[in-house]
């Protein structure tokens, strides 16, 4: 019976893992409070508009109060893209 050939190359060994230190990004401390604040303020704006029989928060805006509320909520979503 024939013998198998002996391997000439050594088995592959992966390189050791290089661990990089974790960088704390302190420049984005404003993002989370701003995001949550826009969500809450937009929601409250719309709720007050409906509960006040469409007279408040700004009577002169009439139907545009909805646009202001949804604009704040959309701003919260846009701000959430910056959050890490």
């Amino acid at each position: 019976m024939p013998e198998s050939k002996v391997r000439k190359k050594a088995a592959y060994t992966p390189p050791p893992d290089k661990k990089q230190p974790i960088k704390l990004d302190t420049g984005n401390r404003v993002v989370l409070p701003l995001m949550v604040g826009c969500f809450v303020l937009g929601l409250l704006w719309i709720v007050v508009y409906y509960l006040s029989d469409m007279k408040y928060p700004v009577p002169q805006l009439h139907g545009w109060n909805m646009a202001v509320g949804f604009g704040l909520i959309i701003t919260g979503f846009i701000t959430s893209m910056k959050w890490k």
Side-chain angles (χ1 to χ4, degrees):
M1 183 178 254
E3 291 184 28
S4 63
K5 295 181 181 180
V6 178
R7 209 179 238 203
K8 293 180 183 178
K9 294 192 302 183
Y12 174 76
T13 56
D17 291 337
K18 294 181 180 177
K19 294 187 178 183
Q20 295 179 354
I22 298 173
K23 289 175 31 178
L24 295 176
D25 191 10
T26 58
N28 289 332
R29 289 186 178 192
V30 164
V31 174
L32 183 63
L34 179 64
M35 177 183 70
V36 172
C38 284
F39 284 142
V40 170
L41 187 60
L43 181 65
L44 286 175
W45 193 286
I46 293 171
V47 167
V48 166
Y49 179 66
Y50 273 119
L51 291 179
S52 69
D53 200 24
M54 301 180 186
K55 293 179 184 174
Y56 296 107
V58 181
Q60 294 84 7
L61 291 180
H62 303 292
W64 285 100
N65 278 309
M66 291 293 291
V68 172
F70 279 114
L72 286 167
I73 292 172
I74 290 170
T75 303
F77 278 114
I78 292 171
T79 307
S80 72
M81 290 186 238
K82 305 264 185 206
W83 184 42
K84 293 182 182 180

